[in-house]
Amino acid sequence: MPHLKIEIAADERRFEPALRAAPFGLWDWRPGDGQLTLSPACLALAGLDGPDALAERVDPEERARLLASLEAFEGSSSDRWVFRFRFGAPAHHFEATGLAERSDDGALLRLSGWLMQSAQAPGFAETILDALPNPVFVKDERERRWIAANQAFAAMLDRPLSETLGRRDHDFIPKEEADHFMRIDDEVFAHGGSNEVEEPITVKDGSSRWLLTKKTIASLPNDERILVGVITDITDRKRSEEALERAHQTALEASRTKSRFLANMSHEIRTPLNGVLGMIESIDRNALKQSEREAIDLIRSSGDTLLSVINDILDFSKIEAGRMGVERIEFSPRDVTEDVARLLSDAGARRNLDVTVDVHDDVPELVHGDPTRVRQVLFNLVGNGIKFTTEGSVHLEVSVRPDEGVLAFSVFDTGIGIAADRVPHLFGAFVQADDTTTRRFGGTGLGLSISKQLAQLMGGDLVVQSTEGVGSCFTFTLPCESFEAPSPPERIVRCAAFVDIAPNLALPIARRIVASGARAIAVPRPAEVPKDADVVFVDGRRGALRAIDTLGRRAVAVPLIVLSRIGEDITAAGIPLRRTVVSQELQRALRVAVGGEAAAAAHEEESLPQLGLRVLVAEDNGVNQLVARRLLAKIGVEVDIAEDGVEAIEKAKKRRYDAVLMDCQMPRMDGYEATLALRELDAYYANAPIIALTASALGSERARCFAAGMSDHVAKPIRLEELHRVLASWCSKAA
């Protein structure tokens, strides 16, 4: 084994042969004068004859990278420098490593080291970077200069890479943008890790690009930190988003314009309609003949039909915009159902149809839901049944389904029916049974679509069963929490007989009479009416005169109630009762049969208690002023009128009213401003009931009323019962 004896040479010249044969060269750089000294081995590695050839073959971009790297190192505190570069043609790759000599204050005095050919494949790192489609850059920590980048980054700035390396953001980008980028760089260096941000940048030609930049901090072997940025150009995406936002804003403005138009249309139509229906409400029905009552009912029904058309248009717009809401309040299913049937009975009579209603005795007296929407759905279904039925009847029935937890409102008709292939499409907007339906029967095709969506908003559904040429049954379900049976109706008679009346007419009446605790007997002929019958029901279209003749020969006269249609004058034959029998009218007819008109009228006078209030009505429309006076007089309310908000405030200063009915649209000062002023007037009006009277049916209008400080909201056309309920409720609270 060879013997080794180690010593330190006193003279390094003995190593010169070994150094000349070594696969690396030595170099020395002094920053003060920029002098770079190379050993002959460096030239040999590069395959050059002398320094002049070296200067000629240096690539400008590589020279820029070298200077940027040296500048960054000079400003750092590191003592080791490594730089990889390519040189020559064909290009060879080299790695230069240097050790720093610094002064006491950290200034770089000298950098010396060695140069050797890189073991990496030619262009390894640069090839990878340049192959990336995304712009990539590297910044030093001290001065935030670009010390490396790829060709995609240079292309983004529209500048050669040689002009980019060693430079900073402020050299190319407007100061405000450059300051922003530098602040983000500072945050990333301060916190470490990575950061992702969307930011605009102004490029060489003055145009703006949107960039998504992810910046990450990395540490080099010499512990020097660098910032690596990877950029994604999102200009096209941002432009698409901006275009989408502009389209969205345009759509919103169109929606707002449509809403304003609908609100104005609603106001303009509802204001005169309030005059028509309001004056009808104010008429004393007890002073009218039967034929006059029927005429009044016909006018009211026609007005309600017009109102339903307006509501359909408004509701479709709200559903389309996703702004439709439903209430959850206590209401009577019987009252709502019978009201719909009564209002549409004259429309059925004009088509020679019977419109009948049957609310089963076990249907709860009160349930929770939205009575307005329930009425709207039923109004549409019964109206459709009448429209598409040419002979026979339309029957509205309400029953309970405890197992399903719902009330079922079913509308049966004997109309044209619906083809099986059309049923799946029936609830779409603007869809009718076939293409000729609109021409034959009219209509918008919106009703069923709106009804289906309203049913689902209320937690139920709307389904149909139909046979073409036979008829249809539409069933609307409504969730019901309690199935407690209602209180029985008042018993007025002990026994009622039905003479030769069709089951669909007799059954609903008999059901109510039996529920009251009385007997109901059906007989085929007048001669078979039992002697203890208090009242006899006959069909005015099926032998009323024969019944009158037979029963008239009895020792004790039996009151006769004749089922009739609007327009049929049968008062001489007996007590008229519409074939669409509702509880209120049935009870009245029974009272007339037992005690005469006076007894029935006295009972009706007691139906709406007198309120005994003094109310200020702020309303600029003369017709509506008259309607308000007459309606309020019927429920014992004294009225003062103010033409606008200014006059309302002046009157309120002089008197403390029990309530203020405030129109929203008035000259000089509208209802919203007047309400705000009244609330600030004094302590009394800060809490007094102020009730909005508005011709707008939009939910936004209701919300605006509450935002202005109003207590409640009554939509025009005004219903006396609704007005009485609201005033009674709020004035009792105020008391």
Side-chain angles (χ1 to χ4, degrees):
M1 180 176 180
H3 178 70
L4 294 178
K5 182 180 179 181
I6 300 174
E7 66 174 3
I8 304 300
D11 187 353
E12 293 183 356
R13 286 180 295 176
R14 66 186 295 180
F15 295 111
E16 287 181 359
L19 288 173
R20 284 195 297 270
F24 56 83
L26 302 177
W27 54 269
D28 180 76
W29 176 62
R30 298 178 185 274
D33 57 9
Q35 181 64 45
L36 176 63
T37 303
L38 303 175
S39 71
C42 287
L43 295 177
L45 283 172
L48 300 176
D49 298 330
D52 293 337
L54 175 65
E56 293 173 0
R57 296 177 64 183
V58 171
D59 183 275
E61 289 189 2
E62 292 297 272
R63 179 185 180 88
R65 279 203 321 118
L66 172 64
L67 294 177
S69 180
L70 287 172
E71 186 174 3
F73 180 77
E74 186 177 1
S76 71
S77 59
S78 176
D79 59 358
R80 183 181 178 89
W81 175 76
V82 178
F83 182 72
R84 294 184 179 88
F85 62 97
R86 65 180 183 272
F87 176 79
H92 295 280
H93 285 248
F94 297 89
E95 180 177 288
T97 303
L99 301 177
E101 181 182 333
R102 296 183 182 273
S103 64
D104 293 339
D105 60 2
L108 183 63
L109 302 176
R110 181 179 181 184
L111 186 62
S112 302
W114 58 93
L115 174 71
M116 60 189 303
Q117 201 160 6
S118 175
Q120 291 180 345
F124 181 75
E126 291 79 2
T127 300
I128 291 176
L129 283 179
D130 288 341
L132 294 175
N134 293 66
V136 179
F137 65 87
V138 180
K139 285 184 177 181
D140 72 291
E141 183 173 12
R142 182 178 180 184
E143 296 187 358
R144 312 293 195 260
R145 295 182 183 275
W146 291 306
I147 59 174
N150 64 355
Q151 293 296 330
F153 181 76
M156 182 192 75
L157 294 180
D158 194 21
R159 299 174 185 275
L161 204 56
S162 58
E163 293 182 15
T164 305
L165 297 177
R167 311 293 286 274
R168 308 169 67 207
D169 294 287
H170 289 82
D171 295 325
F172 301 127
I173 302 169
K175 183 178 184 306
E176 185 177 344
E177 290 181 16
D179 289 343
H180 169 71
F181 295 151
M182 295 291 275
R183 281 194 301 272
I184 294 176
D185 293 347
D186 291 343
E187 292 174 5
V188 178
F189 272 116
H191 298 100
S194 61
N195 170 278
E196 188 171 272
V197 63
E198 293 182 4
E199 51 198 6
I201 184 173
T202 303
V203 295
K204 185 176 181 180
D205 63 1
S207 63
S208 182
R209 309 288 298 176
W210 272 93
L211 309 178
L212 173 64
T213 306
K214 182 166 186 177
K215 298 178 178 180
T216 304
I217 300 301
S219 296
L220 298 177
N222 58 7
D223 295 328
E224 181 182 347
R225 296 200 307 167
I226 57 173
L227 183 149
V228 180
V230 180
I231 297 172
T232 302
D233 191 324
I234 58 171
T235 304
D236 291 340
R237 192 196 83 189
K238 295 295 287 188
R239 287 173 180 169
S240 296
E241 289 175 355
E242 290 168 359
L244 199 61
E245 177 61 22
R246 287 193 298 271
H248 177 63
Q249 292 301 324
T250 301
L252 286 179
E253 181 56 32
S255 178
R256 286 190 287 266
T257 301
K258 182 173 70 172
S259 295
R260 288 192 293 268
F261 167 75
L262 290 173
N264 290 335
M265 183 189 74
S266 172
H267 183 272
E268 294 301 320
I269 296 176
R270 283 172 176 269
T271 297
L273 197 56
N274 180 61
V276 174
L277 297 180
M279 292 302 289
I280 290 172
E281 289 275 354
S282 70
I283 294 174
D284 183 4
R285 293 173 58 87
N286 294 322
L288 300 178
K289 298 177 182 177
Q290 176 65 21
S291 60
E292 291 171 334
R293 288 184 184 179
E294 291 174 351
I296 290 297
D297 288 339
L298 182 60
I299 295 171
R300 178 181 176 181
S301 177
S302 299
D304 285 322
T305 301
L306 176 59
L307 193 60
S308 73
V309 172
I310 299 169
N311 289 336
D312 270 359
I313 296 171
L314 294 174
D315 286 343
F316 182 72
S317 174
K318 286 187 280 187
I319 290 173
E320 195 178 37
R323 297 199 305 266
M324 174 63 75
V326 293
E327 288 185 311
R328 186 168 176 78
I329 60 175
E330 199 172 62
F331 75 98
S332 166
R334 178 177 293 278
D335 289 349
V336 169
T337 305
E338 291 185 342
D339 187 51
V340 169
R342 181 176 59 83
L343 289 174
L344 290 173
S345 61
D346 63 308
R350 289 196 298 272
R351 294 176 62 84
N352 201 31
L353 302 172
D354 283 329
V355 177
T356 58
V357 57
D358 185 8
V359 181
H360 291 198
D361 295 332
D362 54 356
V363 170
E365 187 171 349
L366 295 172
V367 298
H368 287 87
D370 190 329
T372 301
R373 300 304 178 194
V374 171
R375 182 182 289 107
Q376 185 177 348
V377 172
L378 296 180
F379 202 96
N380 180 265
L381 297 179
V382 176
N384 278 351
I386 294 170
K387 181 192 300 184
F388 298 114
T389 302
T390 56
E391 60 179 345
S393 64
V394 177
H395 179 64
L396 173 55
E397 186 171 321
V398 186
S399 59
V400 297
R401 296 180 181 177
D403 294 343
E404 300 176 32
V406 297
L407 290 181
F409 300 80
S410 299
V411 178
F412 303 86
D413 67 61
T414 57
I416 61 174
I418 305 163
D421 62 331
R422 298 294 296 175
V423 170
H425 310 288
L426 196 61
F427 296 106
F430 308 107
V431 173
Q432 292 195 337
D434 59 57
D435 295 336
T436 64
T437 298
T438 301
R439 295 193 297 273
R440 290 175 58 198
F441 298 100
T444 62
L446 291 175
L448 287 178
S449 174
I450 293 171
S451 297
K452 176 83 168 181
Q453 293 181 70
L454 286 176
Q456 292 174 340
L457 277 174
M458 290 185 281
D461 203 359
L462 175 60
V463 297
V464 60
Q465 293 178 312
S466 184
T467 302
E468 191 171 11
V470 176
S472 304
C473 173
F474 286 84
T475 299
F476 154 48
T477 56
L478 182 71
C480 185
E481 298 170 354
S482 172
F483 292 94
E484 182 179 351
S487 302
E490 178 188 358
R491 193 180 77 171
I492 300 173
V493 298
R494 292 169 299 171
C495 178
F498 296 82
V499 178
D500 191 24
I501 298 179
N504 66 314
L505 293 175
L507 183 59
I509 304 172
R511 195 192 297 277
R512 293 300 286 166
I513 289 174
V514 171
S516 73
R519 292 163 51 225
I521 300 174
V523 295
R525 291 177 297 276
E528 297 182 29
V529 172
K531 293 182 179 180
D532 63 341
D534 300 302
V535 66
V536 176
F537 289 86
V538 297
D539 188 342
R541 319 194 89 202
R542 298 177 62 176
L545 294 178
R546 181 161 52 91
I548 293 170
D549 181 61
T550 301
L551 296 172
R553 293 196 295 270
R554 294 178 59 155
V556 179
V558 181
L560 202 65
I561 296 178
V562 183
L563 302 181
S564 61
R565 289 177 178 164
I566 289 179
E568 295 176 346
D569 187 4
I570 47 81
T571 51
I575 302 163
L577 178 64
R578 279 200 284 189
R579 295 165 74 85
T580 304
V581 180
V582 299
S583 298
Q584 183 179 359
E585 294 180 0
L586 173 61
Q587 296 297 87
R588 187 185 191 281
L590 291 173
R591 286 193 181 91
V592 172
V594 172
E597 285 283 353
H603 186 274
E604 288 175 357
E605 288 297 324
E606 297 171 0
S607 61
L608 284 179
Q610 301 293 287
L611 296 176
L613 303 174
R614 183 92 181 208
V615 168
L616 176 63
V617 176
E619 170 64 70
D620 63 307
N621 184 280
V623 174
N624 289 341
Q625 291 173 4
L626 181 59
V627 168
R629 280 189 185 279
R630 290 198 175 188
L631 290 180
L632 291 167
K634 293 187 73 174
I635 54 177
V637 176
E638 294 183 58
V639 175
D640 286 346
I641 299 292
E643 295 280 347
D644 54 44
V646 174
E647 188 176 343
I649 294 169
E650 292 303 315
K651 287 183 178 287
K653 288 178 180 178
K654 300 174 183 177
R655 186 184 184 105
R656 288 187 171 182
Y657 292 95
D658 296 303
V660 179
L661 300 180
M662 185 76 72
D663 183 33
C664 293
Q665 305 296 329
M666 295 183 291
R668 290 207 297 172
M669 180 184 288
D670 63 27
Y672 309 109
E673 296 176 87
T675 299
L676 291 170
L678 282 175
R679 292 302 187 203
E680 297 176 357
L681 187 61
D682 56 33
Y684 175 79
Y685 281 108
N687 299 297
I690 301 177
I691 298 161
L693 298 178
T694 173
S696 173
L698 297 177
S700 57
E701 185 77 11
R702 184 183 181 95
R704 188 179 176 190
C705 292
F706 291 136
M710 298 183 188
S711 309
D712 211 329
H713 171 280
V714 174
K716 299 174 183 176
I718 299 169
R719 301 294 190 198
L720 182 59
E721 293 83 358
E722 174 70 4
L723 189 58
H724 182 278
R725 181 190 66 78
V726 172
L727 281 173
S729 172
W730 282 101
C731 291
S732 65
K733 292 177 185 177

